[in-house]
Amino acid sequence: MEFINNFKRQAKEFWESRNRAQKIKLLLSASLLILIVGFLGYFASRPNYVPLYSNLSERDAGEIVKKLEDMKIPYKLSDGGKTILADAKDVYKIRLDLAREGLPKGGVLGFNDIFSKTKLGTTEWEKQLQYTQALQGELTRTIEEMEQVESARVHIVQPQKSLFIEPNEQKEPSAAVFLKLKPGVEITEEETRGILNLIAHSIEGLKPENITIVDEFGRVLSNIPLSEEQNTKEVVNSQLAIQNNFQKQLQASVQSLLEQIFGPGNVAVRVNAQLNFDKKIVENTLFLPVSSETGEGILRSVQELKEHFSGAGNVPIGNPGTDTNIPGYMQLNTDGTSNYQKTEVIRNYEVNESKENLTVAPGTVKKITVSVVINRDLNDEEKNKIATLVGNAIGYDIQRDQITVEGMTFNNQLADILSKQLTEENQRKERQRMLIIISAAAAAILFIIAYRIATERRRRMEEERLAHELAAAQQAASQVSEEKQEVFSDIEKLARRRPEDVAKILRTWLNEE
């Protein structure tokens, strides 16, 4: 209690010792310090709400909100109730607790959700409706497992079977799929084809061409090749994509080369490339001459016929042929002695032959046309030099390609406007950053000033306290000194008036000691 009273007294003395300007400065510094501390305390103590779940269906949002209220967990709603916010430090724990409860369900019902609540007396039509709804829910959950898909919806149309309709007149089942992709993500044709096959093989009698897939922007994603005709279109589109990529690569190469010379924004390049996608198989058969050393080809077969006849008798003579073989025309040797010999050799040689099969791959360059415009006036020599550089960069063929180089002044008004806007935006951001830095620095300076004022005030209060204590001690010492002086004076007067009595008193004190 004494400390509080002393503090009050010292504070009052300190306040009264200041003039009006100093009092105003102290009040403003104290108010600003209290305001800063209050703001810091507010922002440090308030919950940091972050998304717990987003893009929820009304069914899931309602169940999650009810569960959070039962668990007495604070939350906030945003995005029209589709997003639920919770304190950042409890988000993961809340998600685990809700996952144990099977939430969120994705806004769809599966087989377990429907058939676990089947009631007695359900009609066949209701069972079919429940089955379709459960199948839609299961397919939706499966599609949402894909990395690119944020949410999905599947709608199945199964025509009702009837005994009065011929089987060939029955309508075929169909399906429609709505996909909401994650921001900045595109789904490929292969992934779209996977979704089509997944749904087609999950529903009896459903054909892939009867399935329609759309995204959140209304674009049809299911227009992908499924037949031979569509495959042909796909091939053509693929060839066009290859050609466009080839043109872009050449254009980027020439652009970067020339911009290093003339500076960015001073070069315009356009490339038009024609590619040949025809696949050709060329078969060449070459007949080579006979070896010059032997003068013959490769021996393939030899046929040798020898005839020999010796002894007496008639020996046919003459040349082979009709005249000598027809009876009556035979010429005989009748000299009494005979000796006949005949040798015939037939050699068959292989013709030297070389066969070559050559497959020409598709995608060869038929023609390249390059147009270059420079943001300055060029003479013929400079144009020729630039054309030579561009030709070396693209692999120029004088019989096939064409390069055009021109110099003219660019209209950069739009670029200047955009550059000015970008500069202003950067300056605005820089001013915001400087304002934040200045505010933080001002707050720090005010805090330092307030701290020094408080320290100086405590030092002065301590000095004043010590001064008061010293003055009190000096006053007390002075009073004691005056009292002692008065006592000594009285003793001196008494000793002068009554010396004998004083002597007796002194002897008595000495004897006691």
Side-chain angles (χ1 to χ4, degrees), residues 258-301:
L258 297 179
E259 283 185 346
Q260 292 182 5
I261 302 173
F262 299 101
N266 294 322
V267 179
V269 179
R270 293 297 180 269
V271 176
N272 182 22
Q274 297 179 11
L275 303 182
N276 185 6
F277 292 97
D278 296 336
K279 184 178 181 181
K280 295 189 295 185
I281 299 177
V282 181
E283 182 176 347
N284 296 325
T285 303
L286 303 177
F287 294 94
L288 302 177
V290 179
S291 174
S292 59
E293 297 179 358
T294 61
E296 299 177 349
I298 300 173
L299 184 62
R300 184 175 62 180
S301 62

Side-chain angles (χ1 to χ4, degrees), residues 133 166 209 243 283 317 344 456 468 511:
Q133 187 178 6
E166 294 293 333
E209 54 265 26
Q243 183 168 303
E283 182 176 347
I317 61 175
E344 183 180 352
E456 182 69 18
H468 285 299
N511 291 330

Side-chain angles (χ1 to χ4, degrees), residues 51-297:
L52 178 65
Y53 294 107
S54 58
N55 297 320
L56 292 171
S57 63
E58 294 180 357
R59 180 188 183 91
D60 282 343
E63 293 183 0
I64 292 174
V65 166
K66 184 177 182 303
K67 193 64 181 178
L68 292 177
E69 290 176 349
D70 294 339
M71 297 167 65
K72 297 184 177 358
I73 296 176
Y75 65 90
K76 285 184 178 181
L77 298 176
S78 64
D79 194 17
K82 295 181 180 180
T83 301
I84 300 178
L85 307 176
D87 196 349
K89 67 179 187 303
D90 299 328
V91 164
Y92 298 108
K93 182 178 180 301
I94 296 172
R95 287 177 181 172
L96 292 176
D97 294 339
L98 294 176
R100 285 195 292 267
E101 301 292 333
L103 296 174
K105 297 180 180 179
V108 295
L109 300 177
F111 285 108
N112 186 46
D113 299 318
I114 290 181
F115 291 105
S116 61
K117 302 177 182 178
T118 303
K119 301 179 182 178
L120 295 175
T122 305
T123 63
E124 189 66 26
W125 180 81
E126 291 175 336
K127 290 181 179 180
Q128 182 63 32
L129 187 62
Q130 289 177 352
Y131 175 81
T132 302
Q133 187 178 6
L135 184 58
Q136 292 176 166
E138 293 293 337
L139 289 173
T140 298
R141 292 178 179 177
T142 303
I143 295 173
E144 287 178 345
E145 292 296 322
M146 296 180 65
E147 184 178 358
Q148 296 84 350
V149 179
E150 183 173 319
S151 62
R153 274 293 196 189
V154 179
H155 303 278
I156 301 173
V157 178
Q158 290 184 328
Q160 187 175 2
K161 297 181 180 180
S162 175
L163 298 175
F164 303 100
I165 302 176
E166 294 293 333
N168 56 356
E169 296 179 358
Q170 286 278 359
K171 293 184 178 179
E172 296 179 346
S174 61
V177 182
F178 172 80
L179 296 180
K180 185 176 182 181
L181 303 178
K182 294 180 180 179
V185 176
E186 293 290 338
I187 190 169
T188 63
E189 290 187 359
E190 184 178 358
E191 292 163 345
T192 304
R193 192 177 291 107
I195 297 175
L196 292 173
N197 291 330
L198 170 68
I199 299 175
H201 289 83
S202 300
I203 302 172
E204 182 181 0
L206 179 60
K207 298 179 181 179
E209 54 265 26
N210 293 334
I211 303 174
T212 302
I213 302 178
V214 297
D215 61 5
E216 68 270 26
F217 302 107
R219 297 177 298 185
V220 179
L221 305 178
S222 53
N223 289 337
I224 58 176
L226 298 174
S227 61
E228 184 176 354
E229 180 181 356
Q230 290 177 324
N231 283 330
T232 304
K233 291 182 179 179
E234 182 181 12
V235 171
V236 173
N237 293 333
S238 176
Q239 292 175 354
L240 291 176
I242 293 173
Q243 183 168 303
N244 290 333
N245 290 334
F246 181 72
Q247 292 177 169
K248 290 179 180 178
Q249 290 176 359
L250 290 181
Q251 181 172 315
S253 177
V254 176
Q255 186 92 23
S256 62
L257 173 64
L258 297 179
E259 283 185 346
Q260 292 182 5
I261 302 173
F262 299 101
N266 294 322
V267 179
V269 179
R270 293 297 180 269
V271 176
N272 182 22
Q274 297 179 11
L275 303 182
N276 185 6
F277 292 97
D278 296 336
K279 184 178 181 181
K280 295 189 295 185
I281 299 177
V282 181
E283 182 176 347
N284 296 325
T285 303
L286 303 177
F287 294 94
L288 302 177
V290 179
S291 174
S292 59
E293 297 179 358
T294 61
E296 299 177 349

Side-chain angles (χ1 to χ4, degrees), residues 465-482:
R465 184 181 65 80
L466 292 175
H468 285 299
E469 290 180 355
L470 181 60
Q474 290 177 350
Q475 185 177 4
S478 176
Q479 291 177 356
V480 170
S481 178
E482 291 177 356

Side-chain angles (χ1 to χ4, degrees), residues 30-41:
S31 302
L32 183 61
L33 181 62
I34 294 172
L35 185 63
I36 293 174
V37 173
F39 270 111
L40 293 176

Side-chain angles (χ1 to χ4, degrees), residues 309 313-319 324-325 330-334 338 340:
F309 180 83
N314 296 330
V315 180
I317 61 175
N319 297 322
T324 57
N325 289 329
M330 181 72 68
Q331 299 180 11
L332 300 177
N333 184 8
T334 59
S338 305
Y340 171 76

